[in-house]
Structure formats: C-alpha cells, structure tokens
Amino acid sequence: MRSRRLRARVAAAAVTLALLVLGSGQASAHTSEPPLYTAVDLGTLGGTGSYGVALDRDTVVGNAATADDNVWHAFAYDRSTRVMTDLGTLGGTSSDAVDVQGRYVIGNSTLADGDRRGFVYDLQTGRMRALGTFGGTDSQVRAISGHLVVGNARTPGNLRNHAFVYDIRTGVMTDLGTPAGPDGGSVPVGISQGRYVVGTWGAPGSVFDGGQPFVYDLRTHVMTDVGLHGGVYSKVTSVSGHTIVGITQPQPTGGTGELPPTHGFAYDIRTGVWTDLGAQMSYQPRVTGHTVVASNRPAAYAFDLTTGTMTPFGPGPLRTAINGVGGPFVVGEAFPGFTAYVYRIDTGRFTQLHSLGGRQAAANDVDRHGSATGSSATAPTDPSSPDGEYHATLWTLCAD
C-alpha cells in the first residue's frame, strides 16, 4: 500500500527544511517572507505514528497506530473540535481510510476471518457499514462522490475483480462488469459529475497493466471501451469533469521490439478526443479542472489542456512527486530528503511546508481552499536522530 511506502520513504532520508517560494520554476535558496502555512499535529490513537490521507472543509481522515503499534486504524479528525476519532474495524484487526466527503468516510477493513471489505462510516451516527462482494472474499473502495461510492470486488473463486458502484442511500451495490463480459476484469479510479465511472479494464487472461480505459455512464448503464489509440496498453489514473488522464505504452519502434517510454494521455468523454501528453507526463498524471499535473520522476509539470502549454515546477533540479490535487492546488513531496509542498497552478507559487519539529514531511491531499494533510516528523527525542515520530499533519493557510 502507498501508506506503508510513505512511512518507509519518510524514514529513509533527511533534509533541512526551509520555506521556499518558487515563481518561475527555480527555487530561491533564502527568503525573508513569513510562513504561508501553519502545521497542526493531529496526534495518534495511542501509538507512535499516524498520517493523513484525505480531507474536506470539516474533516481530516487518515490512519494511526493504536496502543499496540502493530495495529493501525482509520481515524477521522474534526477540524473544528480538534478531536480524533478511532473509526474501528469490521471485526478484524486493522482498517484504513481512503477519502471523506461530508458526513461519510470510506475505507477498507479486515474482517474477523482476515478477509477485507470496503466500508462506509457515517460521522453523524458513528456506524460503519460493510460493503459486499460478487461471490469472492474481498472488496475495496476507491472513491466517493455525493451518495455514490466506487470500488472493485472479487467474483466467485476470486478469479476476477469487477468495478462496482454503491449507493449509500439505498445500500445497493451494482456490478459494472467489463466490455469483455463476466470473464474480464475492471478496476475504477474515480467518479465524475455524479455520472461517469472511469477506470481500467482487461480482457480474460490479461494482466492489470495490460488493460485499457473505460467509461461507465450511470444514466445509460453502458460501459464504453475508450480504446488504446495505437498503444500497447493504457491505464487510467485520474478523472475530473469530463477529462480522463492516465498513462499509455506506445508501440515498439525501430524494429528492435523494445518498448519506448510510456506517455501520459488525456481523453475528453464528451468529444472523444485523445491527447498524447508525452513522456514528461508519464508518472501518475492527475487532472484538476483543465490542467494535468504529472512527473517523469526528476521533475514535475503542469499541462494546460486549453492552451497546450507545459510548465515545470518544483525546487530546482530535485525530484518532485505528486500525491494529490484540489482546485488550483497540487501537493506532494520533494527530494532529496522528504519535504512536503503545496504548488498553486494559477499563480505558479511553490511553497515547501514546515514539519512538526523534525526535518521531513509529505503531503497527501489538498482541498480547494489550499489546506493540506499528510505526515511529518516531530522533534527528535534522540540527539543522534534528526526526526522524532511521524504524525498526521494538517497544514492551513495562515489567513485561513
């Protein structure tokens, strides 16, 4: 899981943290400007670590160690009362939060027998509701939009994963199937406009990365195969409005049979127009509004789908990873070391975020108002270490 990788990466390196502001793609080494953000320690559930995963205007959700440090539970943190609530499990030992919207938190939890289920947690009633499967042992939620949750669930014998949509109001879970019928596989990444579920599907016998994009229209109940547009395979990574983005593998060139670097792509659901974003936009592209952000590992870029312009961002020549987008904001971490940042697309301002007293931090999600959540190091208790424990963190604009 990315959350486990996050903790491993955060513990891997150290960097001195300062507030840097980037206006044109190059970072200033020093600045006398006051901090733009304040960092709030959200605490833990009795253990030694925690990290934020997602947030909205009222709530931060994430995962935290309980008094038994080997057990992690999903939590919800109320931004007004500053209270962290343990969301518990579905009878098993662990749970993890995925997203929050209004009164509902979605995530995944183990059962008493060790199988996993997606869940919806109602913050008003304090009740966790388990989602089902399609005859297999597991299900997993991926995203929420309004009263609709999308995810994937195992078919009998755990032979396939099928995308589903779950209606919180009715409790009905619908198998979206695949263009290849029941023997194919499908995994969604999101839902947009309350109507379009998008993801990647694969024919029987193909591996997941060997798939291609799909769009399922909840009004017409039709799943459309977007196609490969000359590539070998494609994979969807994000959706916003009527735009799908992802990565695609071009065909071998030069008669050698070697595959060229993957490219990013954007696809307009309304017009059917496919845009090749090139190799620079090939690592986990995400879309917000009419802008696609992605990385080719060493650098990060923002591509304006309206003008066709590409703008680099990040602290100079260092690697910049992207973890989340919201409105005009992008968040992630910069290397070497591990430094959380917020980048504002419309102004080009890049802000590295303070930690909780240590040196390292990573931001995972940002809301449309610029508040971010993730994990950062507390002050060290051991003089030989630059960092203490890593705690879930909420960064808010000082004027917020």
Side-chain angles (χ1 to χ4, degrees):
M1 293 173 57
R2 187 170 69 87
S3 61
R4 300 296 189 241
R5 296 197 301 269
L6 170 65
R7 294 199 298 278
R9 295 200 309 265
V10 166
V15 66
T16 301
L17 187 63
L19 179 69
L20 301 177
V21 178
L22 177 120
S24 61
Q26 297 298 319
S28 171
H30 302 282
T31 178
S32 60
E33 295 186 21
L36 294 178
Y37 281 81
T38 57
V40 177
D41 186 343
L42 305 190
T44 74
L45 295 173
T48 59
S50 60
Y51 55 95
V53 172
L55 77 166
D56 64 11
R57 191 66 173 174
D58 301 312
T59 310
V60 180
V61 298
N63 307 303
T66 62
D68 178 356
D69 275 336
N70 292 321
V71 176
W72 287 66
H73 284 186
F75 72 77
Y77 176 90
D78 189 308
R79 293 177 61 175
S80 61
T81 65
R82 299 190 175 186
V83 173
M84 177 184 283
T85 300
D86 185 343
L87 302 189
T89 74
L90 293 170
T93 58
S94 65
S95 61
D96 57 273
V98 171
D99 205 352
V100 60
Q101 189 173 94
R103 65 187 284 186
Y104 298 112
V105 180
I106 63 169
N108 303 291
S109 171
T110 56
L111 305 178
D113 61 6
D115 293 339
R116 294 185 65 82
R117 294 284 193 280
F119 69 76
V120 176
Y121 186 98
D122 189 327
L123 292 170
Q124 292 187 9
T125 65
R127 298 183 62 183
M128 180 182 285
R129 186 190 313 178
L131 278 61
T133 72
F134 297 130
T137 60
D138 301 311
S139 61
Q140 182 177 9
V141 297
R142 301 278 181 170
I144 181 172
S145 177
H147 61 274
L148 299 176
V149 177
V150 295
N152 50 276
R154 295 282 191 175
T155 61
N158 294 334
L159 295 178
R160 301 286 183 269
N161 259 314
H162 280 188
F164 68 76
V165 61
Y166 176 83
D167 192 315
I168 296 173
R169 300 169 304 177
T170 64
V172 174
M173 181 174 171
T174 303
D175 185 345
L176 303 187
T178 79
D183 291 333
S186 55
V187 176
V189 300
I191 180 172
S192 181
Q193 307 290 304
R195 175 178 179 178
Y196 301 108
V197 179
V198 305
T200 305
W201 77 276
S206 69
V207 297
F208 175 67
D209 280 343
Q212 51 202 71
F214 73 79
V215 178
Y216 187 97
D217 190 327
L218 293 173
R219 294 184 186 174
T220 64
H221 307 290
V222 172
M223 178 177 281
T224 301
D225 176 11
V226 172
L228 295 176
H229 298 266
V232 177
Y233 68 81
S234 299
K235 180 179 179 180
V236 177
T237 55
S238 179
V239 62
S240 176
H242 294 91
T243 305
I244 303 169
V245 299
I247 60 170
T248 186
Q249 174 61 65
Q251 294 283 348
T253 58
T256 64
E258 294 185 3
L259 292 173
T262 57
H263 285 202
F265 75 84
Y267 176 83
D268 191 309
I269 296 172
R270 297 165 301 182
T271 65
V273 172
W274 175 288
T275 302
D276 187 336
L277 302 179
Q280 289 176 308
M281 305 287 290
S282 63
Y283 186 68
Q284 287 294 320
R286 297 170 184 264
V287 59
T288 176
H290 58 79
T291 302
V292 183
V293 293
S295 169
N296 64 353
R297 303 298 181 99
Y301 302 89
F303 186 95
D304 190 316
L305 291 168
T306 303
T307 64
T309 58
M310 182 182 294
T311 304
F313 65 89
L318 307 179
R319 173 183 163 192
T320 303
I322 297 168
N323 293 335
V325 296
F329 299 99
V330 183
V331 295
E333 66 264 359
F335 299 82
F338 226 92
T339 307
Y341 73 83
V342 174
Y343 172 71
R344 181 154 183 160
I345 296 169
D346 52 354
T347 64
R349 189 166 196 171
F350 185 95
T351 304
Q352 291 189 337
L353 302 171
H354 288 292
S355 71
L356 296 172
R359 293 188 175 185
Q360 300 180 84
N364 292 327
D365 192 29
V366 63
D367 66 20
R368 293 180 176 275
H369 306 283
S371 295
T373 190
S375 177
S376 63
T378 58
T381 56
D382 182 352
S384 66
S385 172
D387 295 313
E389 299 171 358
Y390 291 86
H391 284 188
T393 306
L394 171 64
W395 290 279
T396 58
L397 286 163
C398 292
D400 191 14

